[in-house]
Amino acid sequence: MDKLVIEGGKPLSGTIVIQGAKNAALPILAASLLADGTTTLDHVPDLLDIDVMLNILRELGCRAEHTGGTVVLDTETAHISHVPESLMRQMRSSIFLMGPLLARFGETQVYQPGGCAIGERKIDLHLEGLQALGAEIEELGNRIICRADKLRGADIHLSFPSVGATENIMMAAALAEGRTTISNAAREPEIQDLQGFLNAMGAKIMGAGTDTITIDGVQSLTPCRYKVIPDRIVAGTVMVAAAATRGQVTLQNTQPAHLSSLIHVLRRAGVQIVVDGDIIKVGSATRPRAVERIVTSPYPAFPTDLQSQVMVLLALADGVSVLKETIFEGRLKHVDELSRMGADIRVDMNAAFIRGVPRLYGATVEATDLRAGAALVIAGLAAQGKTVVEQIHHIDRGYEKIETMLARLGARISRYSPVPNN
Ligand code: EPZ
């Protein structure tokens, strides 16, 4: 397994262009199945999760190429409606293929995605939403068989604003008969991007970004060319790394409005942030201040996907901060690893009480999930001495060549791939 070796203590500096959003590209790739022909997507990052999604689409009969950030996907030859279990297990979020496959073929078979390090990852809201549109769902062990002769519009209320469930319902409803409304819908920018893509294909969807989305079903959709939004979580990760190393970094190709909650937190911590169009400048020459209380909640509140990264900054802050995780029940596993680097953090239920320390010390640590891994990289950049981050395949799921990106900002970081003992 690859590992990253980091020599900490050097402030990041320079300019970086932010990659396209993984969590926008994945549902958009799934939605491409709703039309026959060639869809072209620009600004798609080169990530393990994108590779898995493209492999699933190829298994279903599509032709897919991903070169230089552009995906060309021909769905004309898609003829299989069942998603292989082995591929589903590689990426849980492939569950949002159910909606497009059901709309295209009238039936699909997928598998329970199962839990992961950060939580149970339930899919009850996905299934309830598709049933409301007229789908019959049968669960045989971990297999989920879904059939619908005709999908019909419905009024759907989500008990929790689930991102994936909102996306699945939007995609299934796009070709349903009549109007669908989703109330208490997720409001994330990636939902807005999915609406933009579907409408570019000829769908009639309104309200994405608010808590009520209206979809008027149409007869058919047409493939299109579309550019994916910037990745707000990668941008946020770089911003925290700049602050934690007391550097000066300029981020290009961002949408600052998608990062309002993080910008607010960083400014409360004493970090200088300047926003100018799609450029964000982050600077910090002094020790950060503690931030009394941060609670992760659905967008536009503070995102769970930036919780572990901000915890590293607070671990170095002057004072005591409280970080409460309300989205995933298992998303504080990075605390143990940070404590091994000298952080002073106490966890009680889903809240972390962080007493800032003057410095962290390099150690060998293990990534337990995508964003926890990114947080450990930030800790290594800020720490005194050498840090080795193991199990970095988690990080490669969401960050395009993270060591190259950070080295471009002056970080002393290298990837080691152990030679297979043949
Ligand atoms: C999306 O996951 C993102 N993934 C996650 O990013 C992100 O953390 C999450 O939204 C929250 O913002 C993608 O977009 C591919 P949810 P998703 O459905 O759709 C519960 C990353 O690091 N829930 O909003 O799975 C669920 O258990 C990843 O890039 C149900 O109870 O998130 C969880 O506690 C990690 N029933 C909460 O809702 C359901 O049917 C949030 O889940 C669905 C979800």
Side-chain angles (χ1 to χ4, degrees), residues 22-23 26 93 96 118 120-126 160-165 167 188 232 304-305 327-329 331 370-371:
K22 163 178 89 81
N23 291 350
L26 289 172
S93 39
F96 51 45
I118 64 177
E120 189 185 347
R121 310 302 293 269
K122 290 162 65 181
I123 60 167
D124 53 322
L125 300 177
H126 295 247
F160 177 86
S162 156
V163 172
E167 291 165 344
E188 274 71 3
R232 61 192 169 99
T304 176
D305 290 351
I327 304 293
F328 290 110
E329 63 275 21
R331 206 168 206 178
L370 166 53
R371 307 301 173 185

PDB file of all heavy atoms in Angstrom, residues 22-23 26 93 96 118 120-126 160-165 167 188 232 304-305 327-329 331 370-371, ligand 1:
ATOM      1  N   LYS A  22     -15.661  16.027  -7.096  1.00  0.00           N
ATOM      2  CA  LYS A  22     -15.954  14.576  -7.130  1.00  0.00           C
ATOM      3  C   LYS A  22     -17.441  14.346  -6.883  1.00  0.00           C
ATOM      4  O   LYS A  22     -18.090  13.578  -7.609  1.00  0.00           O
ATOM      5  CB  LYS A  22     -15.138  13.875  -6.051  1.00  0.00           C
ATOM      6  CG  LYS A  22     -15.627  12.475  -5.693  1.00  0.00           C
ATOM      7  CD  LYS A  22     -14.755  11.802  -4.658  1.00  0.00           C
ATOM      8  CE  LYS A  22     -15.175  12.093  -3.259  1.00  0.00           C
ATOM      9  NZ  LYS A  22     -16.290  11.291  -2.743  1.00  0.00           N
ATOM     10  N   ASN A  23     -17.998  15.046  -5.891  1.00  0.00           N
ATOM     11  CA  ASN A  23     -19.367  14.756  -5.477  1.00  0.00           C
ATOM     12  C   ASN A  23     -20.428  15.397  -6.362  1.00  0.00           C
ATOM     13  O   ASN A  23     -21.614  15.183  -6.153  1.00  0.00           O
ATOM     14  CB  ASN A  23     -19.571  15.152  -4.010  1.00  0.00           C
ATOM     15  CG  ASN A  23     -18.787  14.237  -3.085  1.00  0.00           C
ATOM     16  OD1 ASN A  23     -18.247  13.217  -3.531  1.00  0.00           O
ATOM     17  ND2 ASN A  23     -18.671  14.603  -1.834  1.00  0.00           N
ATOM     18  N   LEU A  26     -19.832  12.522  -9.832  1.00  0.00           N
ATOM     19  CA  LEU A  26     -20.351  11.155  -9.672  1.00  0.00           C
ATOM     20  C   LEU A  26     -21.846  11.057 -10.002  1.00  0.00           C
ATOM     21  O   LEU A  26     -22.242  10.245 -10.846  1.00  0.00           O
ATOM     22  CB  LEU A  26     -20.056  10.637  -8.259  1.00  0.00           C
ATOM     23  CG  LEU A  26     -18.575  10.324  -7.987  1.00  0.00           C
ATOM     24  CD1 LEU A  26     -18.356  10.008  -6.500  1.00  0.00           C
ATOM     25  CD2 LEU A  26     -18.093   9.163  -8.848  1.00  0.00           C
ATOM     26  N   SER A  93     -21.424   5.211  -2.869  1.00  0.00           N
ATOM     27  CA  SER A  93     -22.340   6.195  -3.459  1.00  0.00           C
ATOM     28  C   SER A  93     -22.820   5.748  -4.848  1.00  0.00           C
ATOM     29  O   SER A  93     -23.595   6.434  -5.485  1.00  0.00           O
ATOM     30  CB  SER A  93     -21.678   7.566  -3.547  1.00  0.00           C
ATOM     31  OG  SER A  93     -20.352   7.418  -3.917  1.00  0.00           O
ATOM     32  N   PHE A  96     -26.646   5.726  -6.090  1.00  0.00           N
ATOM     33  CA  PHE A  96     -27.487   6.665  -6.831  1.00  0.00           C
ATOM     34  C   PHE A  96     -27.496   6.351  -8.332  1.00  0.00           C
ATOM     35  O   PHE A  96     -27.936   7.153  -9.146  1.00  0.00           O
ATOM     36  CB  PHE A  96     -27.174   8.134  -6.548  1.00  0.00           C
ATOM     37  CG  PHE A  96     -25.757   8.592  -6.656  1.00  0.00           C
ATOM     38  CD1 PHE A  96     -24.949   8.220  -7.730  1.00  0.00           C
ATOM     39  CD2 PHE A  96     -25.207   9.414  -5.697  1.00  0.00           C
ATOM     40  CE1 PHE A  96     -23.670   8.676  -7.838  1.00  0.00           C
ATOM     41  CE2 PHE A  96     -23.916   9.856  -5.796  1.00  0.00           C
ATOM     42  CZ  PHE A  96     -23.135   9.492  -6.867  1.00  0.00           C
ATOM     43  N   ILE A 118     -16.980   5.768   8.452  1.00  0.00           N
ATOM     44  CA  ILE A 118     -17.601   6.965   9.057  1.00  0.00           C
ATOM     45  C   ILE A 118     -19.027   6.722   9.503  1.00  0.00           C
ATOM     46  O   ILE A 118     -19.604   7.536  10.224  1.00  0.00           O
ATOM     47  CB  ILE A 118     -17.546   8.182   8.103  1.00  0.00           C
ATOM     48  CG1 ILE A 118     -18.357   7.935   6.824  1.00  0.00           C
ATOM     49  CG2 ILE A 118     -16.118   8.562   7.792  1.00  0.00           C
ATOM     50  CD1 ILE A 118     -18.390   9.161   5.893  1.00  0.00           C
ATOM     51  N   GLU A 120     -22.965   4.081   9.221  1.00  0.00           N
ATOM     52  CA  GLU A 120     -23.782   2.987   8.688  1.00  0.00           C
ATOM     53  C   GLU A 120     -24.149   3.222   7.232  1.00  0.00           C
ATOM     54  O   GLU A 120     -24.328   2.286   6.471  1.00  0.00           O
ATOM     55  CB  GLU A 120     -25.047   2.881   9.549  1.00  0.00           C
ATOM     56  CG  GLU A 120     -25.909   1.658   9.253  1.00  0.00           C
ATOM     57  CD  GLU A 120     -27.210   1.668  10.049  1.00  0.00           C
ATOM     58  OE1 GLU A 120     -27.328   2.482  10.993  1.00  0.00           O
ATOM     59  OE2 GLU A 120     -28.092   0.854   9.729  1.00  0.00           O
ATOM     60  N   ARG A 121     -24.264   4.465   6.835  1.00  0.00           N
ATOM     61  CA  ARG A 121     -24.607   4.830   5.450  1.00  0.00           C
ATOM     62  C   ARG A 121     -25.927   4.189   5.008  1.00  0.00           C
ATOM     63  O   ARG A 121     -26.000   3.439   4.039  1.00  0.00           O
ATOM     64  CB  ARG A 121     -23.470   4.467   4.486  1.00  0.00           C
ATOM     65  CG  ARG A 121     -22.095   4.936   4.869  1.00  0.00           C
ATOM     66  CD  ARG A 121     -21.946   6.417   5.048  1.00  0.00           C
ATOM     67  NE  ARG A 121     -22.088   7.204   3.872  1.00  0.00           N
ATOM     68  CZ  ARG A 121     -21.083   7.553   3.073  1.00  0.00           C
ATOM     69  NH1 ARG A 121     -19.874   7.128   3.328  1.00  0.00           N
ATOM     70  NH2 ARG A 121     -21.284   8.321   2.023  1.00  0.00           N
ATOM     71  N   LYS A 122     -26.987   4.414   5.744  1.00  0.00           N
ATOM     72  CA  LYS A 122     -28.306   3.844   5.422  1.00  0.00           C
ATOM     73  C   LYS A 122     -28.812   4.368   4.074  1.00  0.00           C
ATOM     74  O   LYS A 122     -28.358   5.407   3.595  1.00  0.00           O
ATOM     75  CB  LYS A 122     -29.307   4.214   6.534  1.00  0.00           C
ATOM     76  CG  LYS A 122     -29.011   3.481   7.847  1.00  0.00           C
ATOM     77  CD  LYS A 122     -29.679   4.153   9.009  1.00  0.00           C
ATOM     78  CE  LYS A 122     -31.194   4.077   8.907  1.00  0.00           C
ATOM     79  NZ  LYS A 122     -31.847   4.760  10.050  1.00  0.00           N
ATOM     80  N   ILE A 123     -29.728   3.606   3.461  1.00  0.00           N
ATOM     81  CA  ILE A 123     -30.292   4.041   2.169  1.00  0.00           C
ATOM     82  C   ILE A 123     -31.814   4.001   2.182  1.00  0.00           C
ATOM     83  O   ILE A 123     -32.463   4.025   1.125  1.00  0.00           O
ATOM     84  CB  ILE A 123     -29.754   3.153   1.008  1.00  0.00           C
ATOM     85  CG1 ILE A 123     -30.136   1.685   1.230  1.00  0.00           C
ATOM     86  CG2 ILE A 123     -28.261   3.329   0.818  1.00  0.00           C
ATOM     87  CD1 ILE A 123     -29.929   0.824  -0.001  1.00  0.00           C
ATOM     88  N   ASP A 124     -32.404   3.992   3.375  1.00  0.00           N
ATOM     89  CA  ASP A 124     -33.872   3.901   3.460  1.00  0.00           C
ATOM     90  C   ASP A 124     -34.570   5.062   2.754  1.00  0.00           C
ATOM     91  O   ASP A 124     -35.596   4.872   2.095  1.00  0.00           O
ATOM     92  CB  ASP A 124     -34.325   3.825   4.916  1.00  0.00           C
ATOM     93  CG  ASP A 124     -33.754   4.960   5.754  1.00  0.00           C
ATOM     94  OD1 ASP A 124     -32.588   5.338   5.551  1.00  0.00           O
ATOM     95  OD2 ASP A 124     -34.488   5.487   6.600  1.00  0.00           O
ATOM     96  N   LEU A 125     -33.980   6.256   2.809  1.00  0.00           N
ATOM     97  CA  LEU A 125     -34.629   7.418   2.178  1.00  0.00           C
ATOM     98  C   LEU A 125     -34.589   7.296   0.649  1.00  0.00           C
ATOM     99  O   LEU A 125     -35.512   7.715  -0.051  1.00  0.00           O
ATOM    100  CB  LEU A 125     -33.958   8.715   2.631  1.00  0.00           C
ATOM    101  CG  LEU A 125     -34.005   8.977   4.143  1.00  0.00           C
ATOM    102  CD1 LEU A 125     -33.252  10.251   4.497  1.00  0.00           C
ATOM    103  CD2 LEU A 125     -35.442   9.045   4.647  1.00  0.00           C
ATOM    104  N   HIS A 126     -33.510   6.684   0.123  1.00  0.00           N
ATOM    105  CA  HIS A 126     -33.437   6.437  -1.321  1.00  0.00           C
ATOM    106  C   HIS A 126     -34.600   5.519  -1.730  1.00  0.00           C
ATOM    107  O   HIS A 126     -35.331   5.805  -2.686  1.00  0.00           O
ATOM    108  CB  HIS A 126     -32.127   5.711  -1.679  1.00  0.00           C
ATOM    109  CG  HIS A 126     -30.876   6.489  -1.442  1.00  0.00           C
ATOM    110  ND1 HIS A 126     -30.061   6.926  -2.452  1.00  0.00           N
ATOM    111  CD2 HIS A 126     -30.280   6.890  -0.293  1.00  0.00           C
ATOM    112  CE1 HIS A 126     -29.017   7.577  -1.941  1.00  0.00           C
ATOM    113  NE2 HIS A 126     -29.126   7.565  -0.648  1.00  0.00           N
ATOM    114  N   PHE A 160     -34.777  13.461   6.415  1.00  0.00           N
ATOM    115  CA  PHE A 160     -33.457  14.079   6.594  1.00  0.00           C
ATOM    116  C   PHE A 160     -33.000  14.546   5.215  1.00  0.00           C
ATOM    117  O   PHE A 160     -33.230  13.836   4.226  1.00  0.00           O
ATOM    118  CB  PHE A 160     -32.450  13.073   7.179  1.00  0.00           C
ATOM    119  CG  PHE A 160     -31.064  13.651   7.307  1.00  0.00           C
ATOM    120  CD1 PHE A 160     -30.706  14.371   8.439  1.00  0.00           C
ATOM    121  CD2 PHE A 160     -30.139  13.521   6.270  1.00  0.00           C
ATOM    122  CE1 PHE A 160     -29.448  14.941   8.545  1.00  0.00           C
ATOM    123  CE2 PHE A 160     -28.885  14.091   6.362  1.00  0.00           C
ATOM    124  CZ  PHE A 160     -28.537  14.803   7.495  1.00  0.00           C
ATOM    125  N   PRO A 161     -32.418  15.716   5.073  1.00  0.00           N
ATOM    126  CA  PRO A 161     -32.025  16.216   3.746  1.00  0.00           C
ATOM    127  C   PRO A 161     -30.817  15.436   3.203  1.00  0.00           C
ATOM    128  O   PRO A 161     -29.706  15.973   3.072  1.00  0.00           O
ATOM    129  CB  PRO A 161     -31.692  17.685   3.988  1.00  0.00           C
ATOM    130  CG  PRO A 161     -31.307  17.766   5.415  1.00  0.00           C
ATOM    131  CD  PRO A 161     -32.084  16.714   6.139  1.00  0.00           C
ATOM    132  N   SER A 162     -31.049  14.186   2.867  1.00  0.00           N
ATOM    133  CA  SER A 162     -29.983  13.313   2.357  1.00  0.00           C
ATOM    134  C   SER A 162     -29.553  13.752   0.957  1.00  0.00           C
ATOM    135  O   SER A 162     -30.391  13.874   0.051  1.00  0.00           O
ATOM    136  CB  SER A 162     -30.503  11.862   2.282  1.00  0.00           C
ATOM    137  OG  SER A 162     -29.767  11.115   1.339  1.00  0.00           O
ATOM    138  N   VAL A 163     -28.244  13.942   0.775  1.00  0.00           N
ATOM    139  CA  VAL A 163     -27.708  14.341  -0.533  1.00  0.00           C
ATOM    140  C   VAL A 163     -27.997  13.256  -1.566  1.00  0.00           C
ATOM    141  O   VAL A 163     -28.599  13.513  -2.618  1.00  0.00           O
ATOM    142  CB  VAL A 163     -26.186  14.604  -0.430  1.00  0.00           C
ATOM    143  CG1 VAL A 163     -25.572  14.821  -1.803  1.00  0.00           C
ATOM    144  CG2 VAL A 163     -25.921  15.794   0.491  1.00  0.00           C
ATOM    145  N   GLY A 164     -27.612  12.037  -1.270  1.00  0.00           N
ATOM    146  CA  GLY A 164     -27.772  10.943  -2.242  1.00  0.00           C
ATOM    147  C   GLY A 164     -29.219  10.644  -2.561  1.00  0.00           C
ATOM    148  O   GLY A 164     -29.586  10.409  -3.719  1.00  0.00           O
ATOM    149  N   ALA A 165     -30.063  10.677  -1.531  1.00  0.00           N
ATOM    150  CA  ALA A 165     -31.488  10.381  -1.770  1.00  0.00           C
ATOM    151  C   ALA A 165     -32.105  11.479  -2.640  1.00  0.00           C
ATOM    152  O   ALA A 165     -32.871  11.187  -3.577  1.00  0.00           O
ATOM    153  CB  ALA A 165     -32.227  10.274  -0.440  1.00  0.00           C
ATOM    154  N   GLU A 167     -30.598  13.243  -4.868  1.00  0.00           N
ATOM    155  CA  GLU A 167     -30.086  13.038  -6.227  1.00  0.00           C
ATOM    156  C   GLU A 167     -30.770  11.871  -6.915  1.00  0.00           C
ATOM    157  O   GLU A 167     -31.186  11.963  -8.079  1.00  0.00           O
ATOM    158  CB  GLU A 167     -28.568  12.824  -6.174  1.00  0.00           C
ATOM    159  CG  GLU A 167     -27.812  14.086  -5.777  1.00  0.00           C
ATOM    160  CD  GLU A 167     -26.371  13.840  -5.359  1.00  0.00           C
ATOM    161  OE1 GLU A 167     -25.981  12.675  -5.068  1.00  0.00           O
ATOM    162  OE2 GLU A 167     -25.601  14.830  -5.318  1.00  0.00           O
ATOM    163  N   GLU A 188     -27.070  21.137  -1.073  1.00  0.00           N
ATOM    164  CA  GLU A 188     -25.648  21.231  -1.424  1.00  0.00           C
ATOM    165  C   GLU A 188     -25.423  21.759  -2.843  1.00  0.00           C
ATOM    166  O   GLU A 188     -26.249  21.498  -3.744  1.00  0.00           O
ATOM    167  CB  GLU A 188     -24.987  19.852  -1.276  1.00  0.00           C
ATOM    168  CG  GLU A 188     -24.485  19.516   0.116  1.00  0.00           C
ATOM    169  CD  GLU A 188     -25.595  19.251   1.132  1.00  0.00           C
ATOM    170  OE1 GLU A 188     -26.779  19.274   0.762  1.00  0.00           O
ATOM    171  OE2 GLU A 188     -25.267  19.017   2.306  1.00  0.00           O
ATOM    172  N   ARG A 232     -15.442  22.075  -3.593  1.00  0.00           N
ATOM    173  CA  ARG A 232     -15.390  22.962  -2.437  1.00  0.00           C
ATOM    174  C   ARG A 232     -14.666  22.324  -1.246  1.00  0.00           C
ATOM    175  O   ARG A 232     -14.097  23.006  -0.396  1.00  0.00           O
ATOM    176  CB  ARG A 232     -16.799  23.393  -2.013  1.00  0.00           C
ATOM    177  CG  ARG A 232     -17.696  22.247  -1.608  1.00  0.00           C
ATOM    178  CD  ARG A 232     -19.147  22.673  -1.491  1.00  0.00           C
ATOM    179  NE  ARG A 232     -19.985  21.500  -1.353  1.00  0.00           N
ATOM    180  CZ  ARG A 232     -20.467  21.040  -0.192  1.00  0.00           C
ATOM    181  NH1 ARG A 232     -20.235  21.722   0.912  1.00  0.00           N
ATOM    182  NH2 ARG A 232     -21.197  19.951  -0.131  1.00  0.00           N
ATOM    183  N   THR A 304     -19.693  18.433   7.174  1.00  0.00           N
ATOM    184  CA  THR A 304     -19.017  17.306   7.822  1.00  0.00           C
ATOM    185  C   THR A 304     -17.718  16.954   7.095  1.00  0.00           C
ATOM    186  O   THR A 304     -16.754  16.525   7.731  1.00  0.00           O
ATOM    187  CB  THR A 304     -19.938  16.073   7.855  1.00  0.00           C
ATOM    188  OG1 THR A 304     -19.230  14.955   8.394  1.00  0.00           O
ATOM    189  CG2 THR A 304     -20.455  15.692   6.481  1.00  0.00           C
ATOM    190  N   ASP A 305     -17.655  17.196   5.788  1.00  0.00           N
ATOM    191  CA  ASP A 305     -16.470  16.809   5.010  1.00  0.00           C
ATOM    192  C   ASP A 305     -15.266  17.698   5.281  1.00  0.00           C
ATOM    193  O   ASP A 305     -14.179  17.391   4.794  1.00  0.00           O
ATOM    194  CB  ASP A 305     -16.776  16.833   3.505  1.00  0.00           C
ATOM    195  CG  ASP A 305     -17.708  15.711   3.111  1.00  0.00           C
ATOM    196  OD1 ASP A 305     -17.976  14.828   3.954  1.00  0.00           O
ATOM    197  OD2 ASP A 305     -18.212  15.728   1.978  1.00  0.00           O
ATOM    198  N   ILE A 327     -23.595  14.564  11.481  1.00  0.00           N
ATOM    199  CA  ILE A 327     -24.023  13.889  10.251  1.00  0.00           C
ATOM    200  C   ILE A 327     -23.660  12.400  10.270  1.00  0.00           C
ATOM    201  O   ILE A 327     -24.510  11.548  10.010  1.00  0.00           O
ATOM    202  CB  ILE A 327     -23.384  14.570   9.006  1.00  0.00           C
ATOM    203  CG1 ILE A 327     -23.727  16.053   8.974  1.00  0.00           C
ATOM    204  CG2 ILE A 327     -23.842  13.846   7.727  1.00  0.00           C
ATOM    205  CD1 ILE A 327     -25.185  16.390   8.750  1.00  0.00           C
ATOM    206  N   PHE A 328     -22.422  12.080  10.557  1.00  0.00           N
ATOM    207  CA  PHE A 328     -21.997  10.669  10.555  1.00  0.00           C
ATOM    208  C   PHE A 328     -21.572  10.254  11.957  1.00  0.00           C
ATOM    209  O   PHE A 328     -20.770  10.948  12.598  1.00  0.00           O
ATOM    210  CB  PHE A 328     -20.836  10.462   9.575  1.00  0.00           C
ATOM    211  CG  PHE A 328     -21.245  10.578   8.130  1.00  0.00           C
ATOM    212  CD1 PHE A 328     -20.830  11.652   7.360  1.00  0.00           C
ATOM    213  CD2 PHE A 328     -22.057   9.614   7.548  1.00  0.00           C
ATOM    214  CE1 PHE A 328     -21.215  11.761   6.036  1.00  0.00           C
ATOM    215  CE2 PHE A 328     -22.456   9.726   6.219  1.00  0.00           C
ATOM    216  CZ  PHE A 328     -22.028  10.802   5.459  1.00  0.00           C
ATOM    217  N   GLU A 329     -22.062   9.080  12.355  1.00  0.00           N
ATOM    218  CA  GLU A 329     -21.823   8.647  13.744  1.00  0.00           C
ATOM    219  C   GLU A 329     -20.391   8.159  13.979  1.00  0.00           C
ATOM    220  O   GLU A 329     -19.963   7.999  15.095  1.00  0.00           O
ATOM    221  CB  GLU A 329     -22.828   7.546  14.121  1.00  0.00           C
ATOM    222  CG  GLU A 329     -22.732   6.244  13.317  1.00  0.00           C
ATOM    223  CD  GLU A 329     -23.521   6.275  11.996  1.00  0.00           C
ATOM    224  OE1 GLU A 329     -23.804   7.386  11.499  1.00  0.00           O
ATOM    225  OE2 GLU A 329     -23.803   5.196  11.461  1.00  0.00           O
ATOM    226  N   ARG A 331     -17.426   9.621  12.640  1.00  0.00           N
ATOM    227  CA  ARG A 331     -16.486  10.489  11.931  1.00  0.00           C
ATOM    228  C   ARG A 331     -15.545  11.251  12.872  1.00  0.00           C
ATOM    229  O   ARG A 331     -15.194  12.400  12.621  1.00  0.00           O
ATOM    230  CB  ARG A 331     -17.243  11.462  11.022  1.00  0.00           C
ATOM    231  CG  ARG A 331     -16.374  11.894   9.849  1.00  0.00           C
ATOM    232  CD  ARG A 331     -17.085  12.601   8.765  1.00  0.00           C
ATOM    233  NE  ARG A 331     -16.366  12.421   7.505  1.00  0.00           N
ATOM    234  CZ  ARG A 331     -16.754  12.898   6.351  1.00  0.00           C
ATOM    235  NH1 ARG A 331     -17.871  13.576   6.277  1.00  0.00           N
ATOM    236  NH2 ARG A 331     -16.059  12.680   5.249  1.00  0.00           N
ATOM    237  N   LEU A 370     -11.496   9.052   3.795  1.00  0.00           N
ATOM    238  CA  LEU A 370     -11.004  10.066   2.854  1.00  0.00           C
ATOM    239  C   LEU A 370     -10.607  11.369   3.525  1.00  0.00           C
ATOM    240  O   LEU A 370      -9.482  11.854   3.414  1.00  0.00           O
ATOM    241  CB  LEU A 370     -12.115  10.287   1.813  1.00  0.00           C
ATOM    242  CG  LEU A 370     -12.082  11.488   0.889  1.00  0.00           C
ATOM    243  CD1 LEU A 370     -10.770  11.571   0.170  1.00  0.00           C
ATOM    244  CD2 LEU A 370     -13.242  11.413  -0.088  1.00  0.00           C
ATOM    245  N   ARG A 371     -11.512  11.954   4.299  1.00  0.00           N
ATOM    246  CA  ARG A 371     -11.252  13.285   4.843  1.00  0.00           C
ATOM    247  C   ARG A 371     -10.373  13.207   6.094  1.00  0.00           C
ATOM    248  O   ARG A 371      -9.583  14.108   6.363  1.00  0.00           O
ATOM    249  CB  ARG A 371     -12.553  14.025   5.144  1.00  0.00           C
ATOM    250  CG  ARG A 371     -13.509  14.079   3.966  1.00  0.00           C
ATOM    251  CD  ARG A 371     -12.930  14.748   2.724  1.00  0.00           C
ATOM    252  NE  ARG A 371     -13.865  14.605   1.591  1.00  0.00           N
ATOM    253  CZ  ARG A 371     -13.630  14.994   0.363  1.00  0.00           C
ATOM    254  NH1 ARG A 371     -12.456  15.521   0.066  1.00  0.00           N
ATOM    255  NH2 ARG A 371     -14.504  14.813  -0.607  1.00  0.00           N
TER     256      ARG A 371
HETATM  257  C1  EPZ B   1     -22.767  12.685   0.362  1.00  0.00           C
HETATM  258  O1  EPZ B   1     -22.896  11.381   0.922  1.00  0.00           O
HETATM  259  C2  EPZ B   1     -21.293  12.856   0.057  1.00  0.00           C
HETATM  260  N1  EPZ B   1     -20.877  11.842  -0.912  1.00  0.00           N
HETATM  261  C3  EPZ B   1     -20.479  12.716   1.340  1.00  0.00           C
HETATM  262  O2  EPZ B   1     -19.120  12.991   1.016  1.00  0.00           O
HETATM  263  C4  EPZ B   1     -20.950  13.785   2.339  1.00  0.00           C
HETATM  264  O3  EPZ B   1     -20.249  13.617   3.557  1.00  0.00           O
HETATM  265  C5  EPZ B   1     -22.450  13.618   2.580  1.00  0.00           C
HETATM  266  O4  EPZ B   1     -23.157  13.697   1.306  1.00  0.00           O
HETATM  267  C6  EPZ B   1     -23.009  14.689   3.502  1.00  0.00           C
HETATM  268  O5  EPZ B   1     -22.752  15.953   2.968  1.00  0.00           O
HETATM  269  C7  EPZ B   1     -21.180  12.024  -2.226  1.00  0.00           C
HETATM  270  O6  EPZ B   1     -21.804  12.998  -2.611  1.00  0.00           O
HETATM  271  C8  EPZ B   1     -20.683  10.981  -3.173  1.00  0.00           C
HETATM  272  P1  EPZ B   1     -26.311  11.698   2.960  1.00  0.00           P
HETATM  273  P2  EPZ B   1     -24.376  10.733   1.120  1.00  0.00           P
HETATM  274  O7  EPZ B   1     -27.238  10.788   2.255  1.00  0.00           O
HETATM  275  O8  EPZ B   1     -25.238  11.075  -0.021  1.00  0.00           O
HETATM  276  C9  EPZ B   1     -28.146   9.355   6.656  1.00  0.00           C
HETATM  277  C10 EPZ B   1     -16.833  12.609   0.974  1.00  0.00           C
HETATM  278  O9  EPZ B   1     -15.993  12.673   1.886  1.00  0.00           O
HETATM  279  N2  EPZ B   1     -29.003   8.731   5.646  1.00  0.00           N
HETATM  280  O10 EPZ B   1     -26.595  13.157   3.011  1.00  0.00           O
HETATM  281  O11 EPZ B   1     -24.193   9.304   1.474  1.00  0.00           O
HETATM  282  C11 EPZ B   1     -26.726   8.814   6.568  1.00  0.00           C
HETATM  283  O12 EPZ B   1     -26.635   7.618   7.337  1.00  0.00           O
HETATM  284  C12 EPZ B   1     -18.163  11.931   1.210  1.00  0.00           C
HETATM  285  O13 EPZ B   1     -16.685  13.105  -0.183  1.00  0.00           O
HETATM  286  C13 EPZ B   1     -30.071   7.931   6.067  1.00  0.00           C
HETATM  287  O14 EPZ B   1     -30.313   7.759   7.262  1.00  0.00           O
HETATM  288  O15 EPZ B   1     -24.838  11.533   2.429  1.00  0.00           O
HETATM  289  C14 EPZ B   1     -25.879   9.907   7.119  1.00  0.00           C
HETATM  290  O16 EPZ B   1     -25.833   9.798   8.521  1.00  0.00           O
HETATM  291  C15 EPZ B   1     -18.242  11.267   2.574  1.00  0.00           C
HETATM  292  N3  EPZ B   1     -30.838   7.324   5.130  1.00  0.00           N
HETATM  293  C16 EPZ B   1     -26.636  11.177   6.722  1.00  0.00           C
HETATM  294  O17 EPZ B   1     -27.959  10.759   6.366  1.00  0.00           O
HETATM  295  C17 EPZ B   1     -30.600   7.465   3.783  1.00  0.00           C
HETATM  296  O18 EPZ B   1     -31.344   6.882   2.964  1.00  0.00           O
HETATM  297  C18 EPZ B   1     -26.022  11.915   5.561  1.00  0.00           C
HETATM  298  O19 EPZ B   1     -26.129  11.089   4.453  1.00  0.00           O
HETATM  299  C19 EPZ B   1     -29.517   8.269   3.378  1.00  0.00           C
HETATM  300  C20 EPZ B   1     -28.730   8.898   4.329  1.00  0.00           C
END
